[in-house]
Amino acid sequence: MTEHQKILILDFGGQYTQLIARRVRENHVFSVVVPWTLSAGEIAALHPQGIILSGGPASVHDPDAPRCDPAIYRLGFPVLGICYGMQLTALLLGGRVERALQREYGHVDVQMKGPSALLTGMKDVSSCWMSHTWQVSACPEGFHPIASTGNCPVAAMADENRNIFGVQFHPEVTHTEEGKTLLHNFLYDICHCRGDWSMEAYAETAIRQIRETVGEKGTVLLALSGGVDSSVTAALIYRAIGSRLTCVFVDHGLLRKDESEQVCHVFSHLFPVHFIRSDASARFFADLKGVTDPEEKRHIIGRDFIQVFKEEAEKLGKLDYFAQGTIYPDVIESGQGTSTAVIKSHHNVGGLPRDLGFTELIEPLRMLFKDEVRALGETLGLSRDLVWRQPFPGPGLAIRVIGEVTPEKVRIVRESDAIFREEIARFHLDRAVSQYFTVLTGIQSVGVMGDERTYDYTIALRAVTTDDFMTADWARLPYDLVSVVSTRIVNEVSHVNRVVLDITTKPPASVEWE
Ligand code: XMP
């Protein structure tokens, strides 16, 4: 979105780089993460309002440590170096970086000496988050220290004439109590940003760009899963080109209760795209018959999904563009946006566009973080219910039925899951708990119901809290809630006579059971 002012974040591989980008955007300023290898010329051509150098795991003294083009400091854009970014700035401009006498990690009280435009409005002593072994021991010429700790004489430095700053602590993490103020100062008082980044503005620009790309008559094909990303993509493209957007929704029969109907309703009434629902559940169940291995289930579902989608697309004849709900973390993580190349394995339609002969993709969410996608969805008028939906795996309920998948077992897990979701919402915990669902375990056990002996299934409740799903803790659900859910499930869902609670963290367990 070229018209928004932007801050460039040079990525040196720090664990908080994406967080810096999000914090900038939370301040209504667009941010882009770029590899540290960009030359000063390439950076100037992007016309940033300012540059932030991220942290990183290397030591600036390593022979192969990442070093940005020193000419960037002469471009005239304000620069803020964070942690590694500060140390590199010091080194490249003639200062000294040495091993700290004592490694600082966690909360540290930092004396803000100032005065500096960067520290305006901050307390004299502020609690900051630090994580470093190396530190600046002598500022480069033109700089002076503006903050310190008992261990670290230069916890922040400034050259107010050239507008170049460095901080050893991490203003982007919430543990730094006044980090928000510091970033706001940098963006508004030093970079003179207007604050023109909002979801309304983004929607307008994106809609205009889609119209320009697709033209007066062009048509677009989208694989709609009903998840947040593909739904917001569909809503946005609908706003741009109306029913020249065709959405194909492959219903594998493994969605949660009422989800399929909700997707159909939204995209035939609220956003009346050209909508095709392919009810392929019989095919999926047939192909899953007798299969118990989780990886094999995933493989079959992925393969069938692509096959069904292709068949539907071929019936439609040639459309001009293929749309996808790729979001910014996917772009960054796949190495297209940065130097770090980690490729995610969860991909449902990865190779599909090429297989179908599309060379051009429309990916209007490519620059957005998940929270922004949700905000955009709300801006476009999608229901909160849909927009704030918890994550749901591509293979759906099939990986929540342990062992062989049958329609009857899917019914059991779907009904029990609906009860669990209803009660979590009634206890107002749907935002606090990151993901929650039921699992049909492979266990059958003895029980009594009325005067009858039963030999029925065990349902497990799984609920986790997490920021990134890489690690997770089990959610401490109130016993009152767990009790109601258990009673309701055994009373309302036939063939369940026992409910257990999964109290395992990730690692060692994963979030899903398969
Ligand atoms: P795990 O089970 O790996 O789950 O701890 C982490 C997150 O990823 C989701 N998940 C999947 N999503 N296809 C997907 O699209 C999959 O095969 C898949 N497996 C797990 C899971 O729901 C959780 O949010």
Side-chain angles (χ1 to χ4, degrees), residues 298 346 348 391-395 399-400 435 469 506 510-512:
R298 274 195 167 78
H346 299 161
N348 296 329
F392 186 65
I399 57 167
R400 294 180 182 169
Q435 195 173 8
F469 295 92
K506 171 183 177 176
S510 50
V511 175
E512 303 286 350

Side-chain angles (χ1 to χ4, degrees), residues 428-465:
H428 304 291
L429 288 173
D430 38 352
R431 290 282 182 96
V433 184
S434 313
Q435 195 173 8
Y436 44 94
F437 51 88
T438 59
V439 178
L440 179 60
T441 70
I443 297 171
Q444 281 179 288
S445 69
V446 175
V448 276
M449 260 190 190
D451 290 329
E452 303 253 331
R453 175 189 186 275
T454 59
Y455 188 64
D456 274 331
Y457 287 109
T458 301
I459 281 285
L461 307 179
R462 180 67 161 148
V464 295
T465 53

Side-chain angles (χ1 to χ4, degrees), residues 7-22:
I7 295 289
L8 291 187
I9 297 158
L10 259 57
D11 182 14
F12 292 98
Q15 56 176 326
Y16 301 129
T17 304
Q18 285 196 34
L19 201 53
I20 303 172
R22 280 172 54 188

Side-chain angles (χ1 to χ4, degrees), residues 238-249:
Y238 172 77
R239 283 280 153 90
I241 61 164
S243 57
R244 279 187 285 138
L245 167 64
T246 299
C247 291
V248 173
F249 170 52

